[in-house]
Amino acid sequence: MIKCKTSREIGGMGHPIKRKEDDRFIQGKGHYVDDIKLPGMLYMDIVRSPFAYAKILSINTEEALKVPGVVAVVTGKDLEKYNLHWMPTLMSDTQMVLPTDTVMYQSQEVAAVIATSKYAARDGREAVMVEYEPMTPVIDPFKALEPDAPVLRTDKEGKTDNHIWHWEAGDREATEKVFASADVVVKEQMHLPRLHVVSIETCGCVADYDKVNNHLTMYMTTQAPHAIRTVIALVAGHVGLTEEKIRVVSPDIGGGFGGKVPVYPGYVIAIAVSFLVGKPVKWIEDRSENLQADSFARDYHITVEMAATREGKILATRFKVLADHGYTDAAANPSKFPTGLFSIGTGSYNYDTAFMEADAVYTNKPPGGVAYRCSFRVTEAVHAIERITDRLAQEIGKDPAVLRLENFIKKEEFPWKSPTGWEYDSGDYHTGLQKAMKVIGYDALRKEQAEKRARGELMGIGISTFTEIVGAGPSRQFDILGIKMFDSAEIRVHPTGKAIARFGTKSQGQGHETTYAQIIAEELGIPAQHIQIEEGDTDTAPYGLGTYASRSTPTAGAAAAVAARKLREKAKKIAAYLLEVSEEDLEWEPGKFYVKGAPEKAKTIQEIVFAAYTNHPPGMEAGFEATHYYDPPNLTFPSGAYICVVDIDRETGEIKVRRFVAIDDCGNIINPMIVQGQVHGGLTQGLAPALYEALVYDEEGNILNGTLMDYLVPTAVESPHWETGHTITPSPHHPIGAKGVGESPTVGAPPAIANAVVDALSHLGVTHIDIPITPPKVWKILKEKGVV
Amino acid sequence: MKANIEKTFEVNQPIEKVWEFLSNPEKVVTCVPGAKLTEKVDDTHYKGTVSLKFGPVAASYNGQISIDELDDEQHIMKISGKGMDTKGKGSAGMVMDGQLTAKGPDLTEVGYKMEISVSGKLAQFGSRLIVDVSNQLADQFVSSFKAALETAPAPAAEAAAVREEAAAEPKDNAVNVFALIIGVIKAFFGRLFSSKPKQS
Amino acid sequence: MKEITVTVNGEQHTASVEARTLLVHFIRETLNLTGTHIGCDTSNCGACTILLDGKSVKSCTVLAVQANGKQIATVEGLAAGGELHPLQEGFKENHGLHCGFCTPGMLMRAVELLEKNPNPSEEEIRWGIAGNLCRCTGYNNIVKSIQYAAAKMRGDELPDTEPEFV
């Protein structure tokens, strides 16, 4: 049971109170970007390249301009006049807004058609004639590094290959030494496929430039409105759009998952067009454009090795990564972390030697990759460590649960310094796994599996015990384009004791309007239902870096708690003044200060706040407001123990997830209903790449599943009934002991499912299958092994 | 996106007559669904168009055909074609190896191998269908080819007539792939049910 | 242009539309009922689901002219007389939504589902909403929300809405 300090009426931390934001969503009154309609608004549609790599010989706009309603067609040459044809990526690479001569991937933006209606814009798009000279594209990232591979980024002076960067962590020599003398070494090569976030709302914007006042209001689907404002100012400052003249509004967002962090060319073109014509311009991409052109996630080729003793004591790990970034490095990572937080990949296990290296390459594919419901490449890292741990168990013939329990970092060993330099704040891995085993009935399942195997039936049990790393991050290490990754909260309590609080983050469904209110309710005793939360308008909210990488609770949530505590200090002074006692004589209980030993002598928070406006102590500043910019001292390290049971049809290779138990530890829980909901959703997003999803390209760079007809997003039928639970190991350094949870399930589920499938086939000698593990893949294996 | 097609069929005509027809691009094109020649560049190079319709989406390719090999003795030929979508939505290419074998005085076996490659819109949206559609198109070619040789007394004259008609009504020349897809779907289910063991 | 008359949430509208106008665009752009969303271009996601003469349809796959003379129900008309529909209540009580983008379509699909089957099993609900994609919730709580609404509409005792978070 979760213990609550406040009453349900106050609704502080731990209460599963219903969400405040739901009323508008269930009545069709959500306000998303595509719902915005402004007077005189124009519509933009985008002509896209059919080729993965081609020279543009000509763009003929004549016919398009004849289409009724079409007002303009914008090409790269037009933008070049304003030096707006290229833009920087978050990783300090460069990306085309519109090409002037070459297209680098299929579905890349080639020209924009502006018209008075959506339909006219689409008609115009069809009428634009582009003459291309196709070139042989580089699609395979391994071939991209071969010496005779054509150099793709000829725009970069002096570039002689397709290599982007090299990265290392850990100790190469020490790791080599351990591997050379270890009893057992296991090794697998795996591919984490290119994925798409597929938020049900696609990306889009309404750029509204007011010529008279030289002011831009940019309504857009962004998870980081403040950072976007700064980026726009950096890109367009030279044409007079300086930062005070820019307002970015992120209204309701229909799912983000990392895909709404990058700045896509469509946004920039819309701004440029609005700036030139002085009218609002709406651009909403359709689903196919979204799948084919917006930033992908993952696409890591990983070779992972583990060294151990014969008894199964893990000694060292080694990782080698090839990262396919498409034609530009448009990853959404903190600037100093080209592989994000991949170095968390040493896992939940106690050993002191590891080495990791990664190389990134350019190919003729869309740029990326975004941190898809993942704190920057943690999913890739966790898949590798959890798969190789199972591989070790298989090699030495030990139960994978036992192997894990023997190797876990113990509760009392925290804070624990990882071989790649992280300081894990807290964890209790043994309790988590034991709980998961108990809930699912692990021993009985192993028995059932043995019986079924004897009968020739295929059943597998897979475990994943992951450590996440979220809440970027401490300013000494973490920045995006130089801006430190703090986050902010501003609380204003009105004279009648009701409050409004604003944040630098932006909910895309996480329920901030409810959970932030609960944090403030916990600290101030003002009922959560009377605390209004606002985010996403850069004119009103304090500056912050936004919501992604499970950072909202660790950063902005902490800011809310600290700001509320500042107010509680002020409340204490006012209470002392009103009760005519000294501050030391006062005790706090949620909602009021009372005199020690005389609980009837009390002032409620509402009375105190009223006094702050009507009868504040002499010498004190009036009002009741506080702001805090929270710079976390460390990251937080949530963890989880997941167990999955699969049954495989030996005739068809069909995989059925029979049961899936997820025990998560995200520290103190703000709202168990919302935490559980986040886990459910993340699990389905973990199931997706494990069994269904991957963006597939042919050798010429054609995307073969660029629509939802072919890119298989799990429905309620594929998605099993998730069983969820929790353990609580608070973060010692976080003001409310919370850790963040949104991504854990997406990170932890794929290896649990993959491990279960491999486990079902392990007696046939199968040691690894790349995800997505589709029925044809399994069927082929069964055929090869003579089972079918 | 690539599709490979290999077919053999027989024509009830002497080999020289079949060869005369097959090796003449102006004649044989009349049997290629949706295709027509627009210009003869030289003896081995031609320009032409291929029109396909995917329901409401029409794709029209402007291309070049080149006869890379023509062996009158062995009755072997190699033809390649390459085309760009007229609206800049993609490209398509084809390499074909053909060979005739005399099976009797009035019976000739035609064998050919084709590699079709498609890029752009059609590859994106038609990837699952492209092999089956290509097969259907190939079957249409076979029946037109046989019809032209076996039934028509003066195929060249008829071909010319067809060409003229096509020029007058270019829309009708486009192959309606939507109709073909129906055939593809039938074929798919045919395969599905024929290979499935009977449930008891 | 063609003139059509439709009854939307009980209110009659006459408008002239291009023959090719999709019903979802007519609802969103002409009638300004933006509760019906667009999530894809291939009729897979179901965010645009509405009721056309009582039958749930994906309004991106219907032409506005096809709706001429018909009854349309959208999410905006679901709450009658200021009172939430049992499904709306169910979704709120059971955390059946996160970002809210798929929610209107889910609700409208579920209306027809419960009309046809007032007491569906979990399996029946899952198959019943298989034409509607949700990327946030993992579907567990959508199923629970629909079960809650079904119980309420049958007049049965309401199921517990506390999270089963062991």
Side-chain angles (χ1 to χ4, degrees):
Chain A
M1 268 309 277
I2 296 162
K3 283 191 220 90
C4 302
K5 285 192 214 145
T6 58
S7 64
R8 187 93 180 216
E9 288 65 45
I10 290 175
M13 285 190 43
H15 290 293
I17 61 171
K18 308 305 177 196
R19 296 204 322 171
K20 291 151 63 93
E21 43 272 83
D22 285 359
D23 287 329
R24 65 177 185 276
F25 293 132
I26 56 178
Q27 296 183 78
K29 297 294 179 198
H31 193 56
Y32 302 90
V33 172
D34 196 19
D35 302 341
I36 294 168
K37 213 178 194 180
L38 300 175
M41 190 168 78
L42 299 172
Y43 296 79
M44 183 169 99
D45 210 327
I46 292 179
V47 178
R48 293 177 184 274
S49 168
F51 299 108
Y53 191 31
K55 286 223 171 332
I56 298 173
L57 301 178
S58 67
I59 301 177
N60 184 341
T61 62
E62 210 175 300
E63 289 302 313
L65 288 167
K66 285 186 201 155
V67 171
V70 170
V71 293
V73 180
V74 179
T75 66
K77 300 262 190 222
D78 299 320
L79 295 182
E80 193 176 16
K81 292 176 206 152
Y82 302 91
N83 198 25
L84 283 173
H85 55 312
W86 284 85
M87 62 179 181
T89 71
L90 293 178
M91 297 314 289
S92 302
D93 204 330
T94 51
Q95 181 173 4
M96 289 179 226
V97 177
L98 283 174
T100 50
D101 50 18
T102 312
V103 286
M104 301 296 283
Y105 66 93
Q106 192 182 54
S107 294
Q108 186 184 337
E109 298 82 358
V110 172
V113 178
I114 320 298
T116 51
S117 78
K118 199 191 288 274
Y119 283 48
R122 182 58 57 103
D123 288 344
R125 181 180 98 167
E126 295 305 309
V128 173
M129 301 286 203
V130 187
E131 212 187 326
Y132 299 95
E133 185 189 312
M135 297 185 278
T136 306
V138 178
I139 302 303
D140 182 327
F142 291 95
K143 286 187 184 151
L145 284 182
E146 285 171 7
D148 59 341
V151 179
L152 297 180
R153 292 299 298 272
T154 49
D155 59 289
K156 288 179 178 253
E157 227 168 284
K159 191 88 185 122
T160 56
D161 58 22
N162 296 316
H163 186 258
I164 313 176
W165 44 252
H166 176 79
W167 166 91
E168 289 182 7
D171 188 330
R172 185 194 292 267
E173 284 76 33
T175 306
E176 272 168 11
K177 215 181 257 175
V178 175
F179 269 87
S181 62
D183 300 342
V184 186
V185 171
V186 283
K187 179 176 179 178
E188 290 294 344
Q189 213 215 310
M190 53 191 73
H191 181 220
L192 274 286
R194 194 169 261 249
L195 296 181
H196 202 282
V197 303
V198 199
S199 51
I200 303 297
E201 178 199 41
T202 61
C203 295
C205 66
V206 177
D208 183 16
Y209 178 69
D210 171 354
K211 264 192 175 159
V212 175
N213 295 303
N214 181 31
H215 184 274
L216 172 76
T217 306
M218 182 67 176
Y219 306 90
M220 65 188 281
T221 47
T222 179
Q223 300 174 219
H226 300 271
I228 294 288
R229 186 186 69 197
T230 304
V231 170
I232 295 174
L234 291 174
V235 173
H238 67 282
V239 295
L241 264 181
T242 47
E243 199 164 358
E244 85 285 9
K245 297 290 187 189
I246 304 165
R247 174 183 173 211
V248 176
V249 179
S250 185
D252 285 328
I253 300 293
F257 313 118
K260 288 171 182 166
V261 173
V263 177
Y264 294 117
Y267 298 137
V268 181
I269 306 167
I271 293 172
V273 173
S274 183
F275 187 76
L276 294 176
V277 302
K279 284 187 176 177
V281 175
K282 180 188 265 193
W283 167 65
I284 305 289
E285 62 183 6
D286 63 29
R287 171 60 60 194
S288 304
E289 295 177 292
N290 171 264
L291 275 171
Q292 292 166 21
D294 287 0
S295 291
F296 69 91
R298 323 286 189 244
D299 215 350
Y300 264 27
H301 296 265
I302 307 172
T303 304
V304 54
E305 296 167 89
M306 182 176 263
T309 66
R310 202 161 288 109
E311 295 72 37
K313 166 89 190 87
I314 299 171
L315 300 173
T317 50
R318 187 156 55 192
F319 299 71
K320 191 170 166 53
V321 175
L322 182 63
D324 183 347
H325 273 274
Y327 97 86
T328 181
D329 184 358
N333 290 328
S335 297
K336 294 190 192 80
F337 296 82
T339 54
L341 307 181
F342 185 82
S343 54
I344 191 66
T346 55
S348 310
Y349 313 109
N350 184 345
Y351 61 96
D352 57 11
T353 314
F355 178 68
M356 303 178 168
E357 60 184 322
D359 291 276
V361 291
Y362 292 126
T363 59
N364 287 112
K365 286 188 228 143
V370 293
Y372 167 23
R373 206 165 182 160
C374 160
S375 191
F376 315 117
R377 305 296 190 184
V378 177
T379 313
E380 291 89 328
V382 164
H383 197 78
I385 184 69
E386 287 305 299
R387 274 267 52 242
I388 204 68
T389 302
D390 255 43
R391 178 73 190 84
L392 175 65
Q394 185 181 1
E395 184 74 17
I396 62 172
K398 192 168 233 169
D399 185 288
V402 175
L403 181 83
R404 283 174 166 84
L405 288 166
E406 286 174 0
N407 281 284
F408 277 150
I409 303 156
K410 294 188 183 76
K411 192 181 173 182
E412 58 275 14
E413 287 165 346
F414 290 88
W416 188 77
K417 189 103 171 160
S418 89
T420 49
W422 298 111
E423 189 179 288
Y424 293 12
D425 57 350
S426 63
D428 184 357
Y429 303 148
H430 290 89
T431 304
L433 179 55
Q434 280 154 355
K435 184 169 180 176
M437 289 168 76
K438 193 171 157 223
V439 171
I440 206 159
Y442 187 78
D443 296 337
L445 284 168
R446 282 288 174 208
K447 216 172 135 223
E448 182 194 338
Q449 183 189 29
E451 288 163 11
K452 287 203 161 148
R453 196 166 277 181
R455 291 201 299 269
E457 290 172 42
L458 301 172
M459 166 190 167
I461 304 159
I463 302 175
S464 157
T465 47
F466 61 90
T467 295
E468 250 268 55
I469 172 169
V470 307
S475 62
R476 62 183 183 278
Q477 290 167 295
F478 288 89
D479 68 88
I480 288 182
L481 296 173
I483 301 164
K484 302 296 187 184
M485 293 182 73
F486 55 80
D487 226 295
S488 59
E490 177 207 87
I491 307 171
R492 297 181 185 183
V493 188
H494 309 312
T496 54
K498 319 289 191 236
I500 184 162
R502 296 189 170 105
F503 295 80
T505 50
K506 176 64 205 169
S507 177
Q508 312 120 42
Q510 292 90 338
H512 290 176
E513 289 169 49
T514 308
T515 50
Y516 286 160
Q518 287 185 268
I519 294 171
I520 297 168
E522 174 85 3
E523 300 296 335
L524 288 179
I526 296 170
Q529 61 162 321
H530 291 304
I531 302 167
Q532 182 77 18
I533 303 297
E534 268 187 28
E535 299 175 296
D537 185 337
T538 58
D539 269 10
T540 56
Y543 203 97
L545 271 267
T547 294
Y548 42 86
S550 283
R551 65 186 297 279
S552 294
T553 295
T555 60
V562 176
R565 284 172 196 176
K566 287 182 188 171
L567 287 176
R568 205 165 70 201
E569 279 309 302
K570 181 166 187 171
K572 193 174 192 180
K573 289 189 171 67
I574 298 171
Y577 171 72
L578 295 174
L579 291 165
E580 296 175 338
V581 292
S582 75
E583 285 179 50
E584 294 76 58
D585 295 331
L586 291 175
E587 282 288 345
W588 168 257
E589 75 167 55
K592 65 180 173 191
F593 276 107
Y594 64 92
V595 179
K596 281 178 196 163
E600 73 287 353
K601 286 188 75 180
K603 286 289 170 189
T604 65
I605 188 73
Q606 288 76 12
E607 289 168 322
I608 294 165
V609 173
F610 192 67
Y613 291 90
T614 58
N615 177 27
H616 61 287
M620 182 188 272
E621 206 181 340
F624 207 74
E625 297 183 11
T627 303
H628 189 77
Y629 282 69
Y630 184 77
D631 183 0
N634 188 7
L635 293 121
T636 62
F637 296 79
S639 62
Y642 293 177
I643 306 182
C644 170
V645 184
V646 298
D647 296 303
I648 299 176
D649 184 323
R650 45 182 292 160
E651 300 294 329
T652 64
E654 190 194 352
I655 300 155
K656 193 167 168 46
V657 176
R658 189 206 308 173
R659 286 188 70 193
F660 195 109
V661 169
I663 304 297
D664 275 277
D665 193 329
C666 62
N668 286 335
I669 289 173
I670 303 166
N671 183 326
M673 178 188 81
I674 289 177
V675 168
Q676 189 202 32
Q678 287 290 308
V679 174
H680 287 156
L683 288 173
T684 297
Q685 282 184 332
L687 168 81
L691 298 182
Y692 307 107
E693 293 179 16
L695 289 166
V696 183
Y697 291 82
D698 71 7
E699 66 273 26
E700 280 161 77
N702 294 301
I703 181 167
L704 299 184
N705 54 353
T707 75
L708 280 188
M709 282 192 290
D710 297 303
Y711 189 88
L712 185 61
V713 172
T715 71
V717 173
E718 285 79 44
S719 193
H721 182 100
W722 306 111
E723 300 170 62
T724 53
H726 65 276
T727 56
I728 295 176
T729 313
S731 168
H733 64 76
H734 187 271
I736 55 172
K739 287 186 170 184
V741 73
E743 307 168 347
S744 288
T746 311
V747 166
I753 298 167
N755 285 345
V757 176
V758 173
D759 182 55
L761 305 173
S762 60
H763 60 294
L764 304 171
V766 174
T767 62
H768 176 74
I769 309 173
D770 265 345
I771 58 169
I773 307 179
T774 57
K777 265 189 203 173
V778 174
W779 187 84
K780 209 170 145 242
I781 292 166
L782 293 174
K783 182 106 179 155
E784 278 164 18
K785 305 287 182 189
V787 178
V788 175
Chain B
M1 183 69 220
K2 285 197 168 75
N4 286 293
I5 293 171
E6 212 177 324
K7 280 202 189 303
T8 49
F9 61 96
E10 288 176 348
V11 183
N12 291 314
Q13 291 289 350
I15 189 164
E16 288 311 324
K17 193 175 170 190
V18 179
W19 180 250
E20 195 267 326
F21 188 88
L22 185 69
S23 59
N24 183 342
E26 292 183 55
K27 289 179 182 170
V28 78
V29 75
T30 61
C31 303
V32 179
K36 62 175 178 166
L37 292 183
T38 53
E39 190 189 330
K40 180 173 177 176
V41 181
D42 58 39
D43 278 353
T44 54
H45 291 87
Y46 295 83
K47 287 185 177 172
T49 62
V50 178
S51 302
L52 299 170
K53 255 174 142 185
F54 267 92
V57 183
S60 191
Y61 295 96
N62 264 338
Q64 293 192 347
I65 296 158
S66 112
I67 301 171
D68 303 327
E69 196 187 333
L70 203 62
D71 186 334
D72 289 334
E73 307 279 298
Q74 304 282 321
H75 302 115
I76 290 173
M77 68 192 305
K78 190 184 185 84
I79 298 179
S80 60
K82 223 169 134 179
M84 290 287 285
D85 180 292
T86 50
K87 285 197 166 171
K89 291 189 169 53
S91 66
M94 178 273 294
V95 181
M96 187 186 106
D97 290 290
Q99 178 160 28
L100 300 187
T101 317
K103 291 277 168 172
D106 285 324
L107 184 64
T108 306
E109 185 190 84
V110 182
Y112 68 93
K113 267 196 268 188
M114 238 186 197
E115 189 189 77
I116 297 168
S117 56
V118 182
S119 246
K121 269 269 149 71
L122 207 56
Q124 269 179 30
F125 296 113
S127 64
R128 286 176 303 178
L129 297 167
I130 213 126
V131 174
D132 286 329
V133 168
S134 302
N135 263 312
Q136 297 264 339
L137 291 173
D139 287 344
Q140 276 194 17
F141 169 78
V142 171
S143 46
S144 306
F145 189 87
K146 284 172 74 142
L149 274 163
E150 290 171 355
T151 57
E158 196 201 69
V162 170
R163 260 205 320 283
E164 270 161 36
E165 200 182 299
E169 281 282 337
K171 273 184 183 168
D172 289 346
N173 196 37
V175 177
N176 189 342
V177 179
F178 201 68
L180 283 177
I181 288 173
I182 303 296
V184 169
I185 291 168
K186 273 194 203 155
F188 172 77
F189 280 103
R191 280 201 302 275
L192 195 68
F193 290 114
S194 64
S195 61
K196 200 171 178 180
K198 288 221 165 64
Q199 307 263 324
S200 56
Chain C
M1 299 293 268
K2 196 170 157 48
E3 191 171 273
I4 60 167
T5 299
V6 292
T7 307
V8 183
N9 303 328
E11 214 175 287
Q12 195 169 310
H13 298 265
T14 300
S16 67
V17 296
E18 269 189 79
R20 61 175 174 168
T21 305
L22 297 176
L23 182 55
V24 67
H25 289 142
F26 174 74
I27 291 169
R28 288 180 52 83
E29 312 280 335
T30 309
L31 303 180
N32 292 315
L33 292 171
T34 54
T36 302
H37 297 146
I38 301 171
C40 76
D41 47 4
T42 49
S43 294
N44 289 85
C45 80
C48 64
T49 305
I50 56 143
L51 299 181
L52 189 63
D53 278 349
K55 200 171 169 342
S56 60
V57 298
K58 292 178 178 176
S59 60
C60 72
T61 320
V62 178
L63 295 168
V65 290
Q66 290 176 286
N68 189 20
K70 295 191 172 169
Q71 296 278 339
I72 291 171
T74 70
V75 67
E76 287 92 344
L78 212 47
E83 197 154 310
L84 290 181
H85 187 281
L87 276 161
Q88 291 173 312
E89 186 185 314
F91 272 66
K92 178 171 179 171
E93 291 299 315
N94 295 282
H95 192 25
L97 63 145
H98 294 190
C99 80
F101 203 78
C102 76
T103 313
M106 281 286 179
L107 287 167
M108 299 317 285
R109 172 63 200 132
V111 168
E112 195 199 359
L113 173 71
L114 291 187
E115 224 155 72
K116 294 210 167 122
N117 183 354
N119 193 6
S121 66
E122 169 162 359
E123 184 79 359
E124 285 168 335
I125 292 173
R126 286 182 180 273
W127 282 98
I129 58 169
N132 293 64
L133 296 176
C134 169
R135 196 60 160 172
C136 296
T137 64
Y139 303 105
N140 262 36
N141 286 344
I142 293 183
V143 172
K144 211 171 144 195
S145 304
I146 295 173
Q147 285 169 330
Y148 174 99
K152 178 149 187 168
M153 287 163 81
R154 290 193 309 268
D156 290 357
E157 197 186 323
L158 293 180
D160 187 11
T161 65
E162 294 290 301
E164 314 137 15
F165 198 47
V166 294

